[in-house]
Amino acid sequence: MIRRTLMTTAAAGFALALGGTAMAGEPMDHVKACFVYVGPIGDGGWTFQHHQGALAVQETYGDKVEIQWQESVPEGADAERVLTQMALGGCNIIFTTSFGYMDATNAVAAKFSNVMFEHATGFKRDSANVSTYNARFYEGRAIEGLIAGRMTKSNKIGYIASFPIPEVVMGINSYFHHAKQVNPDVELTVIWAYTWFDPAKEADAAKAMIEQGVDVVASHTDSTAPLAEAAKSNGAVIGFGQASDMAEYKPSPRVASIIDNWAPYYVKRVGALLDGSYEQVDAWEGISGGEVLIGEITEAVPAEVKAEAEALRDAIAAGSYHPFTGPINKQDGSPWLAEGQTAPDGDLLGMGFYIEGVTGDIPQ
Amino acid sequence: MDIGGINPVILVASLMVAAVPIMLAALGELVVEKSGVLNLGVEGMMIVGAICGFIAAVGTQSPVAGFAAGAAGGAVLSLVFAFLTQVMLANQVATGLALTLFGLGLSSLMGQGYNGIKPPVTAKVPFGPLAEIPVLGPIVFGHDWMVYASIALVACVWWVLRATRLGLIIRAVGESHEAAHALGYKVNRIRLGCIAFGGAMAGLGGAYVSLVRVPQWVDGITAGAGWIALAIVVFASWRPWRVLIGAYLFGGISVLQLNLQAAGSGIPVEYLSMSPYLVTIVVLVIMSSGRGRASLNAPASLGQNFHAAR
């Protein structure tokens, strides 16, 4: 108890002594960058890509940066403990890489004003030292949707969803919207797995879909299990690499992939802290900013579909096409976007509805 | 034939596959607990079995070698537990929990470099025309050999525990280790054997996850299956055939809820997801009420260490 009080006092003293230095924009000689991961680095997907970003930071700045990370941190009370420990342990900037860390990040950030917090995929920035960053994954989903709509033979496509949060709903809508544009008969099956990482469950979800006649499976969970399940079908079912390239399943079932590329952002932010130009931001880059990459579209996709998908990718990258361009109606038939109107970011970040044509309800 | 958009034949066939890992692990733990030892390290032994089996199967391109290595890996890890609890007389609950944490870390270390590799395919047993029979074909004749082996193992454990001298000794040690000792049985050695058997079964279950169910290696692949296996042992009130029922129930509900979603059913997912655990709680309540016959079935010396000098 005494030790804990001492530590808190020490931390408070430390905070007072250094409070505001980083925000005031003074350059730093040495930065300790810390990363909190929701899964194991070896997941081959989401966490793996964040770790690649962390390694890129180390490589870019060498001795000037020390990196530290913790894997498989549960979302909730444990996250708060880990964050507090990191803040007390001398971290200057802490990246929390999952939506579920949102409240923990803001709670701990309020206590350590001298430590910068960066929360991935969230929207709360309660204190000045909390920034949020995200990538426009829905842009990648548009390309997946186009391929799915063109490739499906049963006209049934599937989406293994993780949790009912705007990020995922956005992905489902973008995927379905672009499949529907090229194939009006397409039907979408959504399964909520309620996990980011549970290979057996993800495989079961893919299996359940395939048994119902789905022949294109997209996933919003982190492991390669859905692709492994699709691989059992001997080419009848295709899927996509999620978060990471998942190249080992080329050329089929993995016909394309969305790659999260966090390295540019991490390098930029740690660099800003080093040279004193660090400021609170709400970053949301997409294909154009290099944060979302589309992995190689394999020869399992016909050349004309591949060309069409690449044209869509380039249009999004050039900014000439927004994946949510009206007219788009909500599921209940009420209008959302008028002809030619593009979705405002606010609508996307708070997205809690399906677009017209998607069946089923979003679990509450 | 379809009920609510779900084909029951395919559902039963896939739940039989989904239940294999937890059934094997639970069956091993049942024998361990019958001998009076509580090993909470099932999850750790499963995942070490998963990676050992995976490495061996990839190295030799033989699924059989993979399953053998998985069982061996689980058994070796369980011997660590056996040494600590039977020789050093460490607390079983704490050691078991430590074993899980150790196993998770060890498997992650061993699995470095094995991400994204595909293991050899475990073939379905060729029943020829039998597999074409409607209804019965997919359910009874459409699986790989591990599914049949797991059911055979349930029968085997049931027979050994019930009808053989060995089973009687194991049960005696679990019920009253002092009485067994007085009769001249080597309590700790018998328990050591049971722990190794439990480890091998957990490892076999783990290998099934990494070689058949998911067919790949990723960190944390078992994702809590070991804890469900522990719950099934209690649910089954230490009876082998009830382990089979429990595993099908738990495996079945997880498959069913995904199928219901795929079929667009209106039943909220959350209710189905929690139902196996609700059933476990209900069973626990009934068992601890002290009236039901089942309540008499927990081994009396469960979780207690034994030393001959006492």
Side-chain angles (χ1 to χ4, degrees):
Chain A
M1 188 61 211
I2 289 174
R3 187 163 163 267
R4 185 177 297 171
T5 320
L6 268 175
M7 278 173 84
T8 322
T9 322
F14 188 65
L16 278 176
L18 288 182
T21 45
M23 290 309 278
E26 280 174 30
M28 296 171 77
D29 301 332
H30 183 264
V31 165
K32 186 170 177 186
C34 301
F35 298 82
V36 183
Y37 301 140
V38 70
I41 291 169
D43 68 354
W46 178 261
T47 296
F48 177 77
Q49 289 300 124
H50 280 286
H51 191 61
Q52 292 300 310
L55 294 177
V57 170
Q58 178 79 78
E59 200 168 298
T60 310
Y61 299 110
D63 291 347
K64 282 160 95 182
V65 169
E66 180 189 345
I67 62 168
Q68 185 194 331
W69 65 85
Q70 189 153 349
E71 297 174 76
S72 301
V73 176
E75 297 173 338
D78 277 342
E80 209 164 316
R81 228 169 8 249
V82 168
L83 286 172
T84 307
Q85 239 168 36
M86 282 185 165
L88 288 172
C91 296
N92 302 105
I93 182 164
I94 301 177
F95 294 91
T96 55
T97 65
S98 182
F99 180 78
Y101 297 142
M102 183 156 66
D103 292 328
T105 305
N106 281 286
V108 178
K111 292 182 213 153
F112 296 94
S113 58
N114 60 315
V115 179
M116 301 304 127
F117 289 82
E118 298 262 352
H119 178 228
T121 71
F123 53 80
K124 273 194 200 167
R125 291 172 297 279
D126 288 349
S127 36
N129 57 338
V130 181
S131 292
T132 53
Y133 62 103
N134 198 355
R136 295 179 186 266
F137 298 119
Y138 66 87
E139 296 182 346
R141 296 287 174 198
I143 290 141
E144 285 186 359
L146 182 141
I147 296 173
R150 287 278 185 228
M151 295 293 288
T152 178
K153 293 186 183 68
S154 63
N155 287 334
K156 283 184 174 178
I157 61 173
Y159 195 105
I160 301 171
S162 45
F163 291 95
I165 56 174
E167 173 68 41
V168 177
V169 176
M170 207 185 315
I172 295 171
N173 283 336
S174 178
Y175 179 67
F176 178 71
H177 181 58
H178 291 85
K180 186 105 180 164
Q181 278 186 337
V182 296
N183 181 353
D185 297 327
V186 82
E187 283 175 38
L188 176 67
T189 300
V190 179
I191 290 188
W192 296 95
Y194 283 96
T195 178
W196 289 114
F197 182 78
D198 181 345
K201 197 167 186 188
E202 292 168 44
D204 282 346
K207 193 172 180 181
M209 280 183 179
I210 293 166
E211 281 165 4
Q212 304 270 344
V214 168
D215 62 356
V216 184
V217 177
S219 60
H220 211 127
T221 45
D222 299 349
S223 88
T224 46
L227 285 175
E229 188 63 39
K232 290 181 189 166
S233 71
N234 293 323
V237 179
I238 59 167
F240 305 95
Q242 162 62 5
S244 181
D245 195 28
M246 303 189 177
E248 60 273 19
Y249 289 96
K250 276 182 189 173
S252 185
R254 174 228 169 273
V255 296
S257 64
I258 299 179
I259 306 170
D260 312 354
N261 183 24
W262 302 107
Y265 183 75
Y266 287 165
V267 169
K268 186 172 81 185
R269 296 300 279 168
V270 173
L273 202 57
L274 279 168
D275 67 21
S277 62
Y278 188 91
E279 275 175 352
Q280 181 182 30
V281 295
D282 171 19
W284 205 19
E285 295 286 347
I287 292 178
S288 60
E291 277 196 8
V292 177
L293 304 177
I294 303 300
E296 186 206 340
I297 300 171
T298 65
E299 63 268 24
V301 178
E304 66 272 16
V305 177
K306 181 176 174 177
E308 198 181 356
E310 284 173 347
L312 178 63
R313 177 194 68 194
D314 297 340
I316 293 173
S320 58
Y321 174 73
H322 189 291
F324 290 109
T325 305
I328 301 177
N329 289 341
K330 293 186 181 179
Q331 190 182 27
D332 57 13
S334 61
W336 173 41
L337 297 173
E339 177 86 40
Q341 191 191 350
T342 57
D345 283 356
D347 274 21
L348 294 176
L349 289 169
M351 197 172 240
F353 58 88
Y354 284 145
I355 58 169
E356 196 169 29
V358 182
T359 51
D361 298 312
I362 300 170
Q364 293 308 315
Chain B
M1 196 61 229
D2 285 13
I3 302 170
I6 297 173
N7 184 338
V9 174
I10 292 175
L11 181 73
V12 171
S14 54
L15 82 83
M16 285 176 76
V17 174
V20 169
I22 46 179
M23 182 154 77
L24 288 170
L27 198 60
E29 180 66 13
L30 178 135
V31 172
V32 176
E33 292 191 13
K34 268 287 182 194
S35 77
V37 179
L38 183 63
N39 184 355
L40 295 180
V42 181
E43 175 81 4
M45 300 185 299
M46 274 186 95
I47 199 157
V48 167
I51 185 60
C52 287
F54 191 83
I55 291 173
V58 168
T60 62
Q61 288 300 309
S62 152
V64 180
F67 284 113
V76 168
L77 188 68
S78 73
L79 287 178
V80 175
F81 174 85
F83 173 75
L84 289 170
T85 58
Q86 302 309 305
V87 181
M88 309 304 284
L89 299 181
N91 179 298
Q92 293 179 6
V93 172
T95 312
L97 292 172
L99 195 72
T100 289
L101 299 174
F102 175 62
L104 289 172
L106 181 69
S107 66
S108 176
L109 178 70
M110 290 170 74
Q112 296 289 327
Y114 280 92
N115 288 320
I117 296 174
K118 283 179 230 171
V121 176
T122 308
K124 293 194 166 163
V125 180
F127 281 106
L130 285 179
E132 307 295 317
I133 304 172
V135 185
L136 269 188
I139 293 179
V140 185
F141 301 113
H143 300 292
D144 55 82
W145 57 273
M146 273 306 288
V147 174
Y148 305 109
S150 65
I151 297 168
L153 278 164
V154 172
C156 186
V157 166
W158 168 78
W159 181 74
V160 167
L161 283 178
R162 181 194 151 93
T164 67
R165 186 174 179 82
L166 176 65
L168 196 61
I169 296 169
I170 291 173
R171 283 188 287 148
V173 167
E175 291 302 332
S176 170
H177 45 215
E178 263 140 29
H181 176 68
L183 286 170
Y185 293 118
K186 308 282 188 199
V187 172
N188 287 348
R189 272 184 225 174
I190 291 159
R191 284 184 172 169
L192 193 136
C194 290
I195 292 169
F197 176 76
M201 294 290 279
L204 210 54
Y208 192 81
V209 176
S210 65
L211 292 179
V212 180
R213 194 138 168 257
V214 185
Q216 58 173 318
W217 169 254
V218 277
D219 282 6
I221 192 169
T222 51
W227 299 110
I228 293 180
L230 278 166
I232 290 175
V233 177
V234 178
F235 170 84
S237 55
W238 294 271
R239 287 184 168 89
W241 288 111
R242 289 196 196 166
V243 164
L244 181 103
I245 294 169
Y248 280 179
L249 195 67
F250 279 57
I253 286 173
S254 71
V255 171
L256 178 67
Q257 65 110 339
L258 294 168
N259 271 286
L260 279 174
Q261 285 199 56
S265 136
I267 303 173
V269 196
E270 296 84 351
Y271 293 111
L272 282 163
S273 297
M274 67 186 179
S275 50
Y277 305 97
L278 279 179
V279 173
T280 306
I281 292 170
V282 169
V283 169
L284 282 171
V285 168
I286 294 170
M287 280 179 49
S288 57
S289 70
R291 294 235 176 83
R293 258 189 73 231
S295 65
L296 298 170
N297 210 27
S301 301
L302 185 60
Q304 296 167 19
N305 280 338
F306 175 76
H307 190 261
R310 195 161 52 176

